[in-house]
Amino acid sequence: MFATEELSARRREIEEKLKQEEENLSFIKESLEKSDQLTKNMVSILSSFESRLMKLENSIIPVHKQTENLQRLQENVEKTLSCLDHVISYYHVAKDTEKIIKEGPTGRLEEYLSCMDKIQKAVEYFQDNNPDSPELNRVKSLFERGKESLESEFRSLMTRHTKPVPPILILDLISGDDEMETQEEMSLEHLPESVLHDIIRISGWLVKNGRNQDFMTVYFQIRSVQLDRSIKGLKDHFRKNSSSTGVPYSPAIQNKRKDTPTKKPIKRPGHEHDLRVKHLCDTLSDKHGPAAGRDDVFDIEIDAYIHCVSAFVKLAQSEYQLLTEIVPEHHQKKTFDSLIQESLDNLIMEGDNIVSAARKAIIRHDYSAVLTIFPILKHLKQMKPEFDQVLQGTAAGTKNKLPGLITSMETTGAKALEEFADNIKNDPDKEYNMPKDGTVHELTSNAILFLQQLLDFQETAGAMLASQETSSSASIYSSEFSRRLLSTYICKVLGNLQLNLLSKSKVYEDPALSAIFLHNNYNYILKSLEKSELIQLVAVTQKTAERSYRELIEQQIQTYQRSWLKVTDYILERNLPVFQPGVKLKDKERQMIKERFKGFNDGLEELCKIQKAWAIPDMEQRDKIRQAQKTIVKETYGAFLNRYGNVPFTKNPEKYIKYQVDQVGEMIEKLFDTSA
């Protein structure tokens, strides 16, 4: 029973569910039908909207096209009006700019250049579009006038503001080479900054728009005069302020030296030897001719010329730096070449004059003139690398001017050296020219001083001699070859001097005085060689020179000592008879002893009187010769006096025994001393 009820319940439940499902399906079906209806309505609406849009588009597109056409027309009108304004402006350029162009660019350069640009554009427009227009001639005339005003302004600015560099500033600039490396390099302000800016603007405009290079000619002419005046001003500064004992320093440098010990004064090569050079000039000039005041002038002129050479290099470098800012690059080298010509030519001409004067002096046998060439040539060769750098890019003729001067100086210097050596050899043997006391001959002192001067310019002198050589070794071993040539030359001079001294010594009638003369000269030569570097230079080709001179000196001492033999021969034991002690002397023997004493006394007195007036300047040699002679004579006389002093050969012994041994020594001690 329970099972039946349960089945009935299940059946009812299922039926209810089925009924519910049917209701749901009916609802879904109804919803789908409504959705289809809505879709159909939407499609209808969209179709209607599309139709309306098409109608609207068909209405708007023609309007849009019309608007675009209108805008294009408006733009064309505006462009046309702008072009008309632009064209019309060209017709107003002359009127608008004429006043400014007439008044010139002074004080308003930028505005002036702006007007010139406008005028140039107007010229170009009329030339291209309306060449027959009267406006073309007007603007062209105005343009040419404006260009001339710019050129005139360029010249005016350059002329007004270009001034010579003060000598003191040039000396400071030159001294920059001797400054500490940490110090900044000095530079010159040739033109005020604002003026330089205007000049650069004008030159730039003239190059770009003026198609005119005349301003470059104006530039180098004005700057060339300034460069030349600067160098001449330095030369005048030396002439006014220099003295024969020194070189003018820049006051700026002197002030700095108080606080900066490393600051070096301006000096030319070899200037530390000026006093010795001057002494050599004096001695040579005294011999070969009057030279009142000439050496001082020479020294000033040498210093001035050397500093002018350095000044030219420094100023030329500075000029080139300025030129690169103003002149177009492709015109810089040619313009610079023209700019420096006058100053360079003046320097070379002055150098040629120095060479010419030296040649004339050599003809007169005034060999002091060679001293003017040595320091100048040395400086020129030292400056040549800087010269070559400054003149880089200039014409070949410009570059070759300095080498030509150097070659000319080397040739002249070599000729002077050779003729000096020949003159030493051929100096005449004149009695009036010989020292009465046998001291050092002036020819010897002149020759040694000249050779000592060569030490300050060894490379220069060697190069002079090498320049005359044609052998291949001259170029292969230039430095060593030049040194050997100089050594050979010095040995040649010394050899010629020795030969001449030997010849001169024969002028003396007394062989002893001749020996003293040669001794003094040989000793002076040797001492001078030893005190300087000459001995090392001589040793390059003559290793035994020092020993040879010592042997020559010793030979002359021995020759001199032989002059005393006529005194000592009277009292030598080998020339005396043997006397028996206690045996009465014969008259003949007494007379012989008397003659020996008298001969010795007379000879001693005569020699002492004569040789007292002779001179041996070297104190060491003088004492050595005195001592040696004193020893010989005292020993010989002492032995003679000891043997015969107590022999009764006379009733008046004081008449014959006039001197004791020490007195003889004192007499010999006064030899070679006129004040004794």
Side-chain angles (χ1 to χ4, degrees):
M1 183 173 171
F2 286 107
T4 303
E5 290 179 356
E6 186 176 354
L7 288 171
S8 297
R10 291 285 291 179
R11 181 177 179 182
R12 285 195 297 276
E13 185 178 350
I14 291 170
E15 288 176 352
E16 289 177 359
K17 287 183 178 181
L18 288 172
K19 184 178 179 180
Q20 185 67 36
E21 289 295 331
E22 288 177 356
E23 290 177 355
N24 289 338
L25 287 172
S26 176
F27 178 75
I28 291 172
K29 183 177 180 181
E30 184 179 350
S31 296
L32 287 172
E33 290 175 352
K34 289 181 178 179
S35 177
D36 288 341
Q37 185 62 40
L38 290 172
T39 300
K40 290 178 181 179
N41 292 337
M42 183 60 68
V43 169
S44 176
I45 292 169
L46 290 174
S47 297
S48 174
F49 184 69
E50 183 179 4
S51 175
R52 291 178 180 178
L53 281 176
M54 289 180 65
K55 291 179 181 180
L56 180 62
E57 184 178 353
N58 291 333
S59 301
I60 290 176
I61 286 176
V63 174
H64 180 67
K65 289 182 178 179
Q66 290 178 0
T67 303
E68 284 184 343
N69 291 334
L70 289 173
Q71 288 177 344
R72 193 175 296 110
L73 288 172
Q74 183 180 4
E75 290 175 358
N76 290 338
V77 170
E78 290 176 352
K79 288 181 179 178
T80 301
L81 291 173
S82 177
C83 288
L84 286 172
D85 290 339
H86 185 65
V87 171
I88 292 171
S89 69
Y90 289 131
Y91 287 86
H92 294 161
V93 165
K95 179 181 178 182
D96 294 341
T97 61
E98 187 172 16
K99 181 181 178 182
I100 295 175
I101 296 303
K102 286 182 178 179
E103 292 176 353
T106 304
R108 51 178 176 185
L109 179 62
E110 294 301 327
E111 182 182 5
Y112 193 90
L113 292 179
S114 177
C115 290
M116 289 297 293
D117 290 339
K118 291 178 182 179
I119 296 171
Q120 185 179 25
K121 290 177 182 178
V123 171
E124 293 171 353
Y125 169 78
F126 289 117
Q127 286 177 335
D128 294 339
N129 299 283
N130 192 2
D132 298 328
S133 171
E135 282 295 320
L136 175 59
N137 292 331
R138 187 179 179 188
V139 292
K140 283 180 70 175
S141 175
L142 199 59
F143 182 79
E144 290 301 320
R145 182 173 181 176
K147 188 170 68 172
E148 290 175 1
S149 294
L150 283 173
E151 292 172 351
S152 177
E153 179 70 5
F154 183 89
R155 179 188 292 274
S156 176
L157 288 173
M158 289 294 301
T159 303
R160 290 202 315 267
H161 298 283
T162 294
K163 297 176 182 176
V165 181
I168 298 301
L169 192 56
I170 296 176
L171 291 174
D172 289 345
L173 185 67
I174 295 173
S175 72
D177 293 338
D178 295 328
E179 294 297 307
M180 296 169 56
E181 294 181 1
T182 55
Q183 287 188 295
E184 296 182 1
E185 185 177 354
M186 285 187 61
S187 60
L188 297 175
E189 185 183 70
H190 293 285
L191 299 168
E193 187 174 350
S194 60
V195 173
L196 178 59
H197 175 267
D198 287 351
I199 289 174
I200 292 172
R201 290 284 287 126
I202 294 174
S203 66
W205 190 93
L206 290 173
V207 171
K208 181 180 178 182
N209 305 301
R211 298 178 180 85
N212 190 335
Q213 299 177 9
D214 291 346
F215 80 94
M216 298 180 201
T217 302
V218 171
Y219 177 83
F220 85 68
Q221 287 176 343
I222 293 174
R223 295 305 301 176
S224 176
V225 171
Q226 178 272 343
L227 177 60
D228 192 53
R229 288 174 62 192
S230 296
I231 295 175
K232 287 180 178 177
L234 179 63
K235 188 186 299 182
D236 292 340
H237 176 77
F238 267 85
R239 288 172 176 168
K240 292 176 182 177
N241 297 284
S242 293
S243 66
S244 62
T245 57
V247 181
Y249 295 169
S250 160
I253 294 178
Q254 287 180 322
N255 292 336
K256 292 177 184 176
R257 282 173 60 83
K258 296 178 181 178
D259 303 318
T260 313
T262 54
K263 188 86 170 182
K264 297 179 182 178
I266 301 170
K267 59 183 181 181
R268 63 169 171 84
H271 177 68
E272 59 271 19
H273 306 284
D274 278 347
L275 291 178
R276 189 166 67 189
V277 173
K278 186 176 184 303
H279 178 48
L280 177 52
C281 288
D282 289 339
T283 54
L284 291 175
S285 298
D286 288 343
K287 178 179 178 182
H288 296 290
R294 185 183 62 184
D295 298 322
D296 291 347
V297 174
F298 273 174
D299 196 49
I300 295 171
E301 291 298 324
I302 292 171
D303 281 331
Y305 184 74
I306 286 174
H307 279 79
C308 285
V309 169
S310 297
F312 171 81
V313 173
K314 293 296 182 181
L315 292 175
Q317 289 172 342
S318 184
E319 285 293 340
Y320 187 74
Q321 292 174 358
L322 177 65
L323 178 142
T324 56
E325 299 185 65
I326 298 172
V327 178
E329 184 176 359
H330 54 287
H331 292 289
Q332 289 174 2
K333 295 295 183 182
K334 183 178 180 181
T335 304
F336 180 68
D337 196 341
S338 301
L339 190 156
I340 63 173
Q341 278 304 314
E342 183 176 359
S343 297
L344 180 58
D345 286 345
N346 287 339
L347 277 180
I348 298 302
M349 181 175 67
E350 189 172 349
D352 288 337
N353 290 339
I354 292 172
V355 172
S356 178
R359 287 172 179 163
K360 292 177 181 177
I362 292 170
I363 294 174
R364 300 192 308 268
H365 301 294
D366 180 9
Y367 298 103
S368 63
V370 77
L371 298 176
T372 65
I373 294 180
F374 275 107
I376 293 174
L377 178 59
K378 179 178 180 180
H379 188 66
L380 288 178
K381 296 181 82 168
Q382 287 175 340
M383 294 298 295
K384 188 176 182 299
E386 289 189 62
F387 251 95
D388 292 342
Q389 184 179 8
V390 169
L391 301 182
Q392 187 176 7
T394 57
T398 303
K399 294 178 182 177
N400 293 332
K401 288 180 179 179
L402 181 68
L405 178 59
I406 289 175
T407 300
S408 178
M409 284 193 170
E410 285 184 334
T411 303
T412 303
K415 180 178 176 63
L417 290 175
E418 290 302 321
E419 291 206 11
F420 179 80
D422 292 340
N423 185 71
I424 293 296
K425 180 179 180 180
N426 300 319
D427 189 75
D429 305 330
K430 301 294 184 180
E431 186 175 353
Y432 69 84
N433 200 31
M434 295 295 291
K436 304 299 181 183
D437 56 1
T439 190
V440 178
H441 197 281
E442 66 172 343
L443 180 69
T444 303
S445 59
N446 290 349
I448 293 301
L449 283 170
F450 191 90
L451 295 180
Q452 287 176 336
Q453 179 62 20
L454 294 186
L455 291 175
D456 303 324
F457 307 99
Q458 291 185 43
E459 293 183 8
T460 305
M464 282 181 177
L465 297 169
S467 68
Q468 307 306 302
E469 295 292 323
T470 56
S471 63
S472 59
S473 57
S475 57
I476 298 175
Y477 305 105
S478 58
S479 179
E480 180 60 26
F481 183 79
S482 297
R483 183 171 172 82
R484 289 187 66 83
L485 278 178
L486 184 57
S487 175
T488 301
Y489 172 77
I490 292 174
C491 291
K492 177 182 177 180
V493 172
L494 293 175
N496 289 351
L497 178 61
Q498 183 176 339
L499 290 173
N500 196 299
L501 290 172
L502 279 171
S503 178
K504 289 183 185 304
S505 68
K506 296 175 182 178
V507 173
Y508 295 111
E509 296 180 358
D510 190 336
L513 181 55
S514 177
I516 290 296
F517 171 76
L518 290 175
H519 164 272
N520 285 332
N521 283 272
Y522 292 155
N523 183 67
Y524 178 83
I525 294 171
L526 178 60
K527 294 294 184 182
S528 299
L529 293 178
E530 290 176 334
K531 288 178 181 178
S532 65
E533 297 177 20
L534 279 173
I535 193 65
Q536 289 90 343
L537 200 52
V538 168
V540 172
T541 52
Q542 293 289 338
K543 306 285 186 186
T544 62
E546 186 174 358
R547 185 181 67 190
S548 297
Y549 274 111
R550 295 192 185 282
E551 291 175 353
L552 288 171
I553 291 169
E554 191 59 36
Q555 288 174 9
Q556 300 310 316
I557 292 176
Q558 293 174 6
T559 300
Y560 162 75
Q561 289 176 341
R562 285 197 287 272
S563 68
W564 282 83
L565 292 178
K566 64 181 181 180
V567 176
T568 56
D569 276 354
Y570 282 106
I571 55 177
L572 285 176
E573 186 174 350
R574 69 173 181 269
N575 296 328
L576 294 172
V578 178
F579 299 106
Q580 297 296 328
V583 179
K584 185 178 180 181
L585 295 176
K586 299 178 181 179
D587 291 342
K588 182 179 180 181
E589 292 173 337
R590 286 197 297 270
Q591 186 62 33
M592 180 181 293
I593 295 174
K594 290 178 182 178
E595 290 176 354
R596 299 293 175 168
F597 270 108
K598 185 178 185 305
F600 173 79
N601 293 335
D602 292 346
L604 175 67
E605 291 170 356
E606 181 185 4
L607 281 185
C608 286
K609 180 181 178 181
I610 293 173
Q611 296 184 5
K612 181 180 180 181
W614 295 356
I616 299 180
D618 188 319
M619 182 181 296
E620 182 180 346
Q621 286 291 313
R622 185 168 65 243
D623 292 343
K624 174 184 175 182
I625 292 173
R626 282 173 176 169
Q627 188 61 41
Q629 200 59 49
K630 186 166 63 173
T631 300
I632 294 172
V633 176
K634 283 179 67 176
E635 287 180 355
T636 306
Y637 181 65
F640 179 78
L641 188 62
N642 186 51
R643 183 170 183 179
Y644 297 103
N646 297 320
V647 174
F649 66 91
T650 179
K651 295 180 180 179
N652 302 305
E654 66 278 359
K655 178 180 177 181
Y656 297 97
I657 306 176
K658 296 174 65 174
Y659 305 105
Q660 297 300 315
V661 174
D662 290 341
Q663 289 177 311
V664 170
E666 290 173 359
M667 292 175 69
I668 295 175
E669 193 67 36
K670 295 178 181 179
L671 296 178
F672 318 116
D673 186 0
T674 55
S675 63

